[in-house]
Amino acid sequence: MELAKVTSKGQVTIPIEIRKKLGIKNGDKILFVEEAGKIYMLNSSMDALREAQRAFAGEAERLGLHDDNDVMEMIKEIREESVVK
């Protein structure tokens, strides 16, 4: 457990161990989420990445993409189609 003090301006210095665990760097934005009566602090970039991962879940299988070679082949086909048009 870490402890931090709130300044008169409402600012808090996030302890280094917490910043490391959340992957927070200078200039990053922090997201505060209330859930089930608790407030969670998240690295907003990591939260956006997780949301994108959830949104794309199952798409590779739906498209028949099983490995990197399948992805590269799909990209090649899309590029060829765009050149023909």
Side-chain angles (χ1 to χ4, degrees):
M1 180 184 304
E2 299 283 345
L3 184 64
K5 184 177 176 181
V6 180
T7 69
S8 61
K9 293 182 179 180
Q11 299 170 329
V12 176
T13 299
I14 303 167
I16 187 79
E17 289 304 314
I18 302 299
R19 284 181 282 167
K20 285 179 182 177
K21 289 178 181 180
L22 292 175
I24 297 171
K25 298 177 194 78
N26 188 32
D28 283 354
K29 294 187 179 187
I30 303 301
L31 180 65
F32 294 94
V33 178
E34 183 177 0
E35 188 175 287
K38 294 184 180 185
I39 307 257
Y40 297 93
M41 182 176 76
L42 307 168
N43 179 328
S44 65
S45 298
M46 295 305 293
D47 186 61
L49 178 59
R50 282 190 204 99
E51 187 63 33
Q53 288 173 328
R54 281 191 289 271
F56 285 105
E59 285 300 303
E61 292 171 1
R62 187 183 70 76
L63 294 170
L65 305 174
H66 303 288
D67 57 29
D68 290 346
N69 291 329
D70 291 343
V71 173
M72 294 305 294
E73 186 60 34
M74 183 183 78
I75 292 169
K76 181 180 173 185
E77 290 172 9
I78 291 171
R79 286 181 178 163
E80 288 173 357
E81 289 172 7
S82 67
V83 171
V84 171
K85 293 180 179 180

